């Protein structure tokens, strides 16, 4: 199965973590990689590290805001892909958190994502892809697509991010 969590609302990573927990609860071995998030010790990172140990890779460099930061972000994406290469044969599910944001920022190519899809499809492995801006070509290929839309968020009222809610 190819599963996509996208949209501008809060909860794409949470949905990916939930999918991972459901799979693990059913004995499905998996690895989880965060393409854009840095190791800030967010709640899900702490929990996943305890749960997955070596099957978690937090490879991102944080928000991509300036063009001069492109090389370090591209290097981080390449490191994530290299890590996946070492794990993909050993697991039945691969969760790629924020890979779609990396794609939108042109830090990962369509071909690189299609290679993951092809490998997982050919080897009957599940692939979870999350992030804003899912392209149409991916949504057409996916078996499940969930779009998470923001209706209301506290940040628009100036309320800062809350531990245990946003991180």
């Amino acid at each position: 199965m190819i599963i996509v969590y996208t949209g501008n609302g809060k909860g794409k990573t949470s949905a990916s973590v939930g999918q991972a927990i459901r799979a693990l609860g059913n004995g499905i071995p998996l690895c989880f990689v965060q393409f854009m998030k840095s190791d800030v010790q967010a709640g899900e990172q702490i929990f996943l590290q305890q749960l997955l140990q070596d099957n978690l890779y937090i490879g991102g460099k944080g928000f991509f805001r300036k063009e001069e930061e492109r090389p370090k972000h591209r290097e981080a994406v390449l490191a994530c892909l290299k890590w996946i290469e070492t794990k993909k044969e050993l697991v039945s599910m691969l969760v790629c958190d924020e890979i779609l944001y990396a794609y939108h920022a042109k830090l990962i190519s369509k071909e690189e994502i299609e290679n993951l899809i092809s490998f997982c499809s050919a080897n009957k492995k599940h692939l979870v892809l999350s992030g804003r801006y899912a392209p149409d070509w991916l949504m057409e290929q996916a078996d499940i697509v969930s779009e998470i839309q923001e209706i209301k968020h506290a940040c628009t009222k100036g309320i800062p991010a809350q531990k245990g809610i946003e991180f």
Side-chain angles (χ1 to χ4, degrees), residues 59-87:
K61 298 293 181 190
F63 290 111
F64 175 50
R65 293 187 172 116
K66 300 176 186 170
E67 192 57 36
E68 58 266 18
E69 296 176 342
R70 179 174 295 283
K72 81 173 184 178
H73 284 280
R74 174 63 179 157
E75 275 182 40
V77 165
L78 290 173
C80 289
L81 291 172
K82 185 176 180 180
W83 182 82
I84 288 169
E85 284 298 314
T86 69
K87 297 289 182 176

PDB file of all heavy atoms in Angstrom, residues 59-87:
ATOM      1  N   GLY A  59      16.639  12.990  10.084  1.00  0.00           N
ATOM      2  CA  GLY A  59      17.693  13.467   9.208  1.00  0.00           C
ATOM      3  C   GLY A  59      17.590  14.901   8.755  1.00  0.00           C
ATOM      4  O   GLY A  59      18.493  15.400   8.094  1.00  0.00           O
ATOM      5  N   GLY A  60      16.518  15.572   9.100  1.00  0.00           N
ATOM      6  CA  GLY A  60      16.311  16.917   8.571  1.00  0.00           C
ATOM      7  C   GLY A  60      17.169  17.975   9.225  1.00  0.00           C
ATOM      8  O   GLY A  60      17.805  17.757  10.254  1.00  0.00           O
ATOM      9  N   LYS A  61      17.153  19.135   8.609  1.00  0.00           N
ATOM     10  CA  LYS A  61      17.885  20.313   9.099  1.00  0.00           C
ATOM     11  C   LYS A  61      16.931  21.423   9.501  1.00  0.00           C
ATOM     12  O   LYS A  61      17.321  22.576   9.612  1.00  0.00           O
ATOM     13  CB  LYS A  61      18.851  20.822   8.029  1.00  0.00           C
ATOM     14  CG  LYS A  61      19.926  19.837   7.643  1.00  0.00           C
ATOM     15  CD  LYS A  61      20.881  19.608   8.783  1.00  0.00           C
ATOM     16  CE  LYS A  61      21.979  18.642   8.368  1.00  0.00           C
ATOM     17  NZ  LYS A  61      22.765  18.220   9.524  1.00  0.00           N
ATOM     18  N   GLY A  62      15.665  21.090   9.695  1.00  0.00           N
ATOM     19  CA  GLY A  62      14.688  22.094  10.086  1.00  0.00           C
ATOM     20  C   GLY A  62      14.059  22.775   8.886  1.00  0.00           C
ATOM     21  O   GLY A  62      14.157  22.300   7.762  1.00  0.00           O
ATOM     22  N   PHE A  63      13.428  23.900   9.115  1.00  0.00           N
ATOM     23  CA  PHE A  63      12.736  24.618   8.049  1.00  0.00           C
ATOM     24  C   PHE A  63      13.723  25.082   6.981  1.00  0.00           C
ATOM     25  O   PHE A  63      14.809  25.557   7.293  1.00  0.00           O
ATOM     26  CB  PHE A  63      11.984  25.828   8.605  1.00  0.00           C
ATOM     27  CG  PHE A  63      10.805  25.472   9.447  1.00  0.00           C
ATOM     28  CD1 PHE A  63      10.824  25.699  10.819  1.00  0.00           C
ATOM     29  CD2 PHE A  63       9.671  24.911   8.878  1.00  0.00           C
ATOM     30  CE1 PHE A  63       9.734  25.377  11.600  1.00  0.00           C
ATOM     31  CE2 PHE A  63       8.573  24.587   9.652  1.00  0.00           C
ATOM     32  CZ  PHE A  63       8.619  24.821  11.016  1.00  0.00           C
ATOM     33  N   PHE A  64      13.317  24.962   5.733  1.00  0.00           N
ATOM     34  CA  PHE A  64      14.103  25.437   4.593  1.00  0.00           C
ATOM     35  C   PHE A  64      13.563  26.807   4.223  1.00  0.00           C
ATOM     36  O   PHE A  64      12.515  26.924   3.604  1.00  0.00           O
ATOM     37  CB  PHE A  64      13.977  24.436   3.435  1.00  0.00           C
ATOM     38  CG  PHE A  64      14.643  24.878   2.158  1.00  0.00           C
ATOM     39  CD1 PHE A  64      15.946  25.326   2.156  1.00  0.00           C
ATOM     40  CD2 PHE A  64      13.948  24.843   0.964  1.00  0.00           C
ATOM     41  CE1 PHE A  64      16.558  25.734   0.977  1.00  0.00           C
ATOM     42  CE2 PHE A  64      14.540  25.237  -0.223  1.00  0.00           C
ATOM     43  CZ  PHE A  64      15.854  25.683  -0.217  1.00  0.00           C
ATOM     44  N   ARG A  65      14.283  27.846   4.624  1.00  0.00           N
ATOM     45  CA  ARG A  65      13.783  29.203   4.442  1.00  0.00           C
ATOM     46  C   ARG A  65      14.597  30.038   3.463  1.00  0.00           C
ATOM     47  O   ARG A  65      14.088  30.976   2.882  1.00  0.00           O
ATOM     48  CB  ARG A  65      13.753  29.920   5.798  1.00  0.00           C
ATOM     49  CG  ARG A  65      12.745  29.327   6.752  1.00  0.00           C
ATOM     50  CD  ARG A  65      12.637  30.186   8.008  1.00  0.00           C
ATOM     51  NE  ARG A  65      11.551  29.726   8.839  1.00  0.00           N
ATOM     52  CZ  ARG A  65      11.703  29.227  10.051  1.00  0.00           C
ATOM     53  NH1 ARG A  65      12.901  29.124  10.577  1.00  0.00           N
ATOM     54  NH2 ARG A  65      10.658  28.824  10.744  1.00  0.00           N
ATOM     55  N   LYS A  66      15.885  29.728   3.333  1.00  0.00           N
ATOM     56  CA  LYS A  66      16.771  30.562   2.512  1.00  0.00           C
ATOM     57  C   LYS A  66      17.448  29.708   1.453  1.00  0.00           C
ATOM     58  O   LYS A  66      17.929  28.619   1.742  1.00  0.00           O
ATOM     59  CB  LYS A  66      17.838  31.218   3.389  1.00  0.00           C
ATOM     60  CG  LYS A  66      17.282  32.112   4.466  1.00  0.00           C
ATOM     61  CD  LYS A  66      18.385  32.651   5.342  1.00  0.00           C
ATOM     62  CE  LYS A  66      17.807  33.425   6.512  1.00  0.00           C
ATOM     63  NZ  LYS A  66      18.841  33.743   7.491  1.00  0.00           N
ATOM     64  N   GLU A  67      17.504  30.246   0.255  1.00  0.00           N
ATOM     65  CA  GLU A  67      18.089  29.512  -0.862  1.00  0.00           C
ATOM     66  C   GLU A  67      19.541  29.115  -0.587  1.00  0.00           C
ATOM     67  O   GLU A  67      19.989  28.051  -1.010  1.00  0.00           O
ATOM     68  CB  GLU A  67      17.986  30.337  -2.147  1.00  0.00           C
ATOM     69  CG  GLU A  67      18.287  29.575  -3.397  1.00  0.00           C
ATOM     70  CD  GLU A  67      17.412  28.341  -3.620  1.00  0.00           C
ATOM     71  OE1 GLU A  67      16.211  28.363  -3.276  1.00  0.00           O
ATOM     72  OE2 GLU A  67      17.940  27.347  -4.142  1.00  0.00           O
ATOM     73  N   GLU A  68      20.265  29.929   0.138  1.00  0.00           N
ATOM     74  CA  GLU A  68      21.666  29.587   0.442  1.00  0.00           C
ATOM     75  C   GLU A  68      21.789  28.359   1.356  1.00  0.00           C
ATOM     76  O   GLU A  68      22.866  27.777   1.491  1.00  0.00           O
ATOM     77  CB  GLU A  68      22.446  30.777   1.018  1.00  0.00           C
ATOM     78  CG  GLU A  68      21.871  31.374   2.282  1.00  0.00           C
ATOM     79  CD  GLU A  68      20.928  32.555   2.038  1.00  0.00           C
ATOM     80  OE1 GLU A  68      20.421  32.737   0.911  1.00  0.00           O
ATOM     81  OE2 GLU A  68      20.681  33.284   3.007  1.00  0.00           O
ATOM     82  N   GLU A  69      20.683  27.946   1.956  1.00  0.00           N
ATOM     83  CA  GLU A  69      20.678  26.734   2.791  1.00  0.00           C
ATOM     84  C   GLU A  69      20.402  25.462   1.976  1.00  0.00           C
ATOM     85  O   GLU A  69      20.463  24.365   2.509  1.00  0.00           O
ATOM     86  CB  GLU A  69      19.619  26.855   3.887  1.00  0.00           C
ATOM     87  CG  GLU A  69      19.880  27.965   4.880  1.00  0.00           C
ATOM     88  CD  GLU A  69      18.765  28.114   5.897  1.00  0.00           C
ATOM     89  OE1 GLU A  69      17.641  27.608   5.658  1.00  0.00           O
ATOM     90  OE2 GLU A  69      19.016  28.740   6.934  1.00  0.00           O
ATOM     91  N   ARG A  70      20.093  25.618   0.681  1.00  0.00           N
ATOM     92  CA  ARG A  70      19.745  24.469  -0.159  1.00  0.00           C
ATOM     93  C   ARG A  70      20.777  23.342  -0.085  1.00  0.00           C
ATOM     94  O   ARG A  70      20.402  22.184   0.087  1.00  0.00           O
ATOM     95  CB  ARG A  70      19.509  24.905  -1.602  1.00  0.00           C
ATOM     96  CG  ARG A  70      19.161  23.741  -2.526  1.00  0.00           C
ATOM     97  CD  ARG A  70      18.779  24.192  -3.916  1.00  0.00           C
ATOM     98  NE  ARG A  70      17.556  24.975  -3.922  1.00  0.00           N
ATOM     99  CZ  ARG A  70      16.328  24.459  -3.814  1.00  0.00           C
ATOM    100  NH1 ARG A  70      16.159  23.158  -3.726  1.00  0.00           N
ATOM    101  NH2 ARG A  70      15.266  25.248  -3.814  1.00  0.00           N
ATOM    102  N   PRO A  71      22.078  23.608  -0.218  1.00  0.00           N
ATOM    103  CA  PRO A  71      23.044  22.500  -0.200  1.00  0.00           C
ATOM    104  C   PRO A  71      22.981  21.645   1.067  1.00  0.00           C
ATOM    105  O   PRO A  71      23.008  20.419   0.988  1.00  0.00           O
ATOM    106  CB  PRO A  71      24.403  23.194  -0.349  1.00  0.00           C
ATOM    107  CG  PRO A  71      24.095  24.476  -1.059  1.00  0.00           C
ATOM    108  CD  PRO A  71      22.744  24.895  -0.528  1.00  0.00           C
ATOM    109  N   LYS A  72      22.857  22.275   2.225  1.00  0.00           N
ATOM    110  CA  LYS A  72      22.812  21.477   3.467  1.00  0.00           C
ATOM    111  C   LYS A  72      21.514  20.673   3.563  1.00  0.00           C
ATOM    112  O   LYS A  72      21.511  19.549   4.062  1.00  0.00           O
ATOM    113  CB  LYS A  72      23.035  22.339   4.710  1.00  0.00           C
ATOM    114  CG  LYS A  72      21.837  23.099   5.210  1.00  0.00           C
ATOM    115  CD  LYS A  72      22.097  23.783   6.543  1.00  0.00           C
ATOM    116  CE  LYS A  72      20.839  24.455   7.042  1.00  0.00           C
ATOM    117  NZ  LYS A  72      21.023  25.087   8.335  1.00  0.00           N
ATOM    118  N   HIS A  73      20.413  21.232   3.056  1.00  0.00           N
ATOM    119  CA  HIS A  73      19.147  20.498   3.070  1.00  0.00           C
ATOM    120  C   HIS A  73      19.170  19.349   2.063  1.00  0.00           C
ATOM    121  O   HIS A  73      18.654  18.268   2.358  1.00  0.00           O
ATOM    122  CB  HIS A  73      17.969  21.444   2.807  1.00  0.00           C
ATOM    123  CG  HIS A  73      17.614  22.297   3.985  1.00  0.00           C
ATOM    124  ND1 HIS A  73      16.868  21.837   5.040  1.00  0.00           N
ATOM    125  CD2 HIS A  73      17.924  23.587   4.277  1.00  0.00           C
ATOM    126  CE1 HIS A  73      16.711  22.797   5.931  1.00  0.00           C
ATOM    127  NE2 HIS A  73      17.353  23.871   5.492  1.00  0.00           N
ATOM    128  N   ARG A  74      19.760  19.573   0.905  1.00  0.00           N
ATOM    129  CA  ARG A  74      19.872  18.492  -0.084  1.00  0.00           C
ATOM    130  C   ARG A  74      20.762  17.378   0.464  1.00  0.00           C
ATOM    131  O   ARG A  74      20.442  16.195   0.311  1.00  0.00           O
ATOM    132  CB  ARG A  74      20.426  19.040  -1.404  1.00  0.00           C
ATOM    133  CG  ARG A  74      20.706  17.979  -2.457  1.00  0.00           C
ATOM    134  CD  ARG A  74      19.460  17.230  -2.900  1.00  0.00           C
ATOM    135  NE  ARG A  74      19.829  16.259  -3.936  1.00  0.00           N
ATOM    136  CZ  ARG A  74      19.150  15.182  -4.239  1.00  0.00           C
ATOM    137  NH1 ARG A  74      18.010  14.918  -3.629  1.00  0.00           N
ATOM    138  NH2 ARG A  74      19.559  14.357  -5.170  1.00  0.00           N
ATOM    139  N   GLU A  75      21.857  17.733   1.115  1.00  0.00           N
ATOM    140  CA  GLU A  75      22.723  16.724   1.750  1.00  0.00           C
ATOM    141  C   GLU A  75      21.947  15.910   2.773  1.00  0.00           C
ATOM    142  O   GLU A  75      22.122  14.697   2.875  1.00  0.00           O
ATOM    143  CB  GLU A  75      23.911  17.402   2.453  1.00  0.00           C
ATOM    144  CG  GLU A  75      25.080  17.682   1.569  1.00  0.00           C
ATOM    145  CD  GLU A  75      26.227  18.298   2.356  1.00  0.00           C
ATOM    146  OE1 GLU A  75      26.495  17.873   3.503  1.00  0.00           O
ATOM    147  OE2 GLU A  75      26.856  19.215   1.814  1.00  0.00           O
ATOM    148  N   ALA A  76      21.104  16.575   3.546  1.00  0.00           N
ATOM    149  CA  ALA A  76      20.300  15.882   4.554  1.00  0.00           C
ATOM    150  C   ALA A  76      19.335  14.900   3.898  1.00  0.00           C
ATOM    151  O   ALA A  76      19.162  13.777   4.365  1.00  0.00           O
ATOM    152  CB  ALA A  76      19.535  16.892   5.414  1.00  0.00           C
ATOM    153  N   VAL A  77      18.711  15.309   2.792  1.00  0.00           N
ATOM    154  CA  VAL A  77      17.802  14.419   2.063  1.00  0.00           C
ATOM    155  C   VAL A  77      18.569  13.219   1.526  1.00  0.00           C
ATOM    156  O   VAL A  77      18.112  12.073   1.633  1.00  0.00           O
ATOM    157  CB  VAL A  77      17.075  15.186   0.936  1.00  0.00           C
ATOM    158  CG1 VAL A  77      16.413  14.225  -0.042  1.00  0.00           C
ATOM    159  CG2 VAL A  77      16.042  16.144   1.522  1.00  0.00           C
ATOM    160  N   LEU A  78      19.739  13.455   0.967  1.00  0.00           N
ATOM    161  CA  LEU A  78      20.559  12.346   0.460  1.00  0.00           C
ATOM    162  C   LEU A  78      20.952  11.392   1.584  1.00  0.00           C
ATOM    163  O   LEU A  78      20.977  10.175   1.384  1.00  0.00           O
ATOM    164  CB  LEU A  78      21.795  12.882  -0.268  1.00  0.00           C
ATOM    165  CG  LEU A  78      21.522  13.575  -1.595  1.00  0.00           C
ATOM    166  CD1 LEU A  78      22.800  14.210  -2.146  1.00  0.00           C
ATOM    167  CD2 LEU A  78      20.907  12.620  -2.611  1.00  0.00           C
ATOM    168  N   ALA A  79      21.238  11.931   2.762  1.00  0.00           N
ATOM    169  CA  ALA A  79      21.567  11.079   3.920  1.00  0.00           C
ATOM    170  C   ALA A  79      20.354  10.234   4.311  1.00  0.00           C
ATOM    171  O   ALA A  79      20.502   9.057   4.661  1.00  0.00           O
ATOM    172  CB  ALA A  79      22.043  11.933   5.089  1.00  0.00           C
ATOM    173  N   CYS A  80      19.154  10.817   4.243  1.00  0.00           N
ATOM    174  CA  CYS A  80      17.934  10.055   4.529  1.00  0.00           C
ATOM    175  C   CYS A  80      17.773   8.913   3.524  1.00  0.00           C
ATOM    176  O   CYS A  80      17.470   7.775   3.913  1.00  0.00           O
ATOM    177  CB  CYS A  80      16.703  10.964   4.483  1.00  0.00           C
ATOM    178  SG  CYS A  80      16.565  12.123   5.844  1.00  0.00           S
ATOM    179  N   LEU A  81      17.966   9.206   2.259  1.00  0.00           N
ATOM    180  CA  LEU A  81      17.831   8.174   1.226  1.00  0.00           C
ATOM    181  C   LEU A  81      18.875   7.076   1.402  1.00  0.00           C
ATOM    182  O   LEU A  81      18.578   5.889   1.220  1.00  0.00           O
ATOM    183  CB  LEU A  81      17.928   8.800  -0.167  1.00  0.00           C
ATOM    184  CG  LEU A  81      16.755   9.691  -0.570  1.00  0.00           C
ATOM    185  CD1 LEU A  81      17.055  10.405  -1.879  1.00  0.00           C
ATOM    186  CD2 LEU A  81      15.462   8.897  -0.652  1.00  0.00           C
ATOM    187  N   LYS A  82      20.072   7.451   1.775  1.00  0.00           N
ATOM    188  CA  LYS A  82      21.133   6.469   2.015  1.00  0.00           C
ATOM    189  C   LYS A  82      20.764   5.576   3.202  1.00  0.00           C
ATOM    190  O   LYS A  82      20.952   4.362   3.167  1.00  0.00           O
ATOM    191  CB  LYS A  82      22.459   7.184   2.266  1.00  0.00           C
ATOM    192  CG  LYS A  82      23.644   6.265   2.399  1.00  0.00           C
ATOM    193  CD  LYS A  82      24.932   7.042   2.539  1.00  0.00           C
ATOM    194  CE  LYS A  82      26.101   6.077   2.659  1.00  0.00           C
ATOM    195  NZ  LYS A  82      27.370   6.803   2.790  1.00  0.00           N
ATOM    196  N   TRP A  83      20.211   6.173   4.252  1.00  0.00           N
ATOM    197  CA  TRP A  83      19.790   5.403   5.423  1.00  0.00           C
ATOM    198  C   TRP A  83      18.684   4.424   5.036  1.00  0.00           C
ATOM    199  O   TRP A  83      18.708   3.263   5.443  1.00  0.00           O
ATOM    200  CB  TRP A  83      19.329   6.346   6.532  1.00  0.00           C
ATOM    201  CG  TRP A  83      18.924   5.637   7.780  1.00  0.00           C
ATOM    202  CD1 TRP A  83      19.746   5.186   8.773  1.00  0.00           C
ATOM    203  CD2 TRP A  83      17.586   5.284   8.173  1.00  0.00           C
ATOM    204  NE1 TRP A  83      18.998   4.584   9.766  1.00  0.00           N
ATOM    205  CE2 TRP A  83      17.675   4.633   9.414  1.00  0.00           C
ATOM    206  CE3 TRP A  83      16.337   5.467   7.594  1.00  0.00           C
ATOM    207  CZ2 TRP A  83      16.562   4.162  10.092  1.00  0.00           C
ATOM    208  CZ3 TRP A  83      15.228   4.997   8.268  1.00  0.00           C
ATOM    209  CH2 TRP A  83      15.338   4.350   9.497  1.00  0.00           C
ATOM    210  N   ILE A  84      17.741   4.884   4.227  1.00  0.00           N
ATOM    211  CA  ILE A  84      16.663   4.012   3.762  1.00  0.00           C
ATOM    212  C   ILE A  84      17.238   2.801   3.029  1.00  0.00           C
ATOM    213  O   ILE A  84      16.757   1.678   3.203  1.00  0.00           O
ATOM    214  CB  ILE A  84      15.671   4.790   2.866  1.00  0.00           C
ATOM    215  CG1 ILE A  84      14.836   5.744   3.718  1.00  0.00           C
ATOM    216  CG2 ILE A  84      14.770   3.839   2.085  1.00  0.00           C
ATOM    217  CD1 ILE A  84      14.017   6.734   2.901  1.00  0.00           C
ATOM    218  N   GLU A  85      18.259   3.018   2.221  1.00  0.00           N
ATOM    219  CA  GLU A  85      18.883   1.916   1.480  1.00  0.00           C
ATOM    220  C   GLU A  85      19.369   0.817   2.418  1.00  0.00           C
ATOM    221  O   GLU A  85      19.316  -0.361   2.082  1.00  0.00           O
ATOM    222  CB  GLU A  85      20.043   2.417   0.619  1.00  0.00           C
ATOM    223  CG  GLU A  85      19.616   3.131  -0.632  1.00  0.00           C
ATOM    224  CD  GLU A  85      18.817   2.248  -1.580  1.00  0.00           C
ATOM    225  OE1 GLU A  85      19.227   1.091  -1.828  1.00  0.00           O
ATOM    226  OE2 GLU A  85      17.781   2.724  -2.073  1.00  0.00           O
ATOM    227  N   THR A  86      19.824   1.197   3.607  1.00  0.00           N
ATOM    228  CA  THR A  86      20.335   0.203   4.559  1.00  0.00           C
ATOM    229  C   THR A  86      19.219  -0.528   5.292  1.00  0.00           C
ATOM    230  O   THR A  86      19.465  -1.564   5.908  1.00  0.00           O
ATOM    231  CB  THR A  86      21.271   0.850   5.606  1.00  0.00           C
ATOM    232  OG1 THR A  86      20.514   1.702   6.478  1.00  0.00           O
ATOM    233  CG2 THR A  86      22.389   1.640   4.942  1.00  0.00           C
ATOM    234  N   LYS A  87      18.014  -0.003   5.245  1.00  0.00           N
ATOM    235  CA  LYS A  87      16.896  -0.545   6.028  1.00  0.00           C
ATOM    236  C   LYS A  87      15.797  -1.198   5.198  1.00  0.00           C
ATOM    237  O   LYS A  87      15.080  -2.066   5.690  1.00  0.00           O
ATOM    238  CB  LYS A  87      16.259   0.563   6.876  1.00  0.00           C
ATOM    239  CG  LYS A  87      17.167   1.170   7.909  1.00  0.00           C
ATOM    240  CD  LYS A  87      17.434   0.209   9.032  1.00  0.00           C
ATOM    241  CE  LYS A  87      18.301   0.812  10.105  1.00  0.00           C
ATOM    242  NZ  LYS A  87      18.479  -0.097  11.225  1.00  0.00           N
TER     243      LYS A  87
END
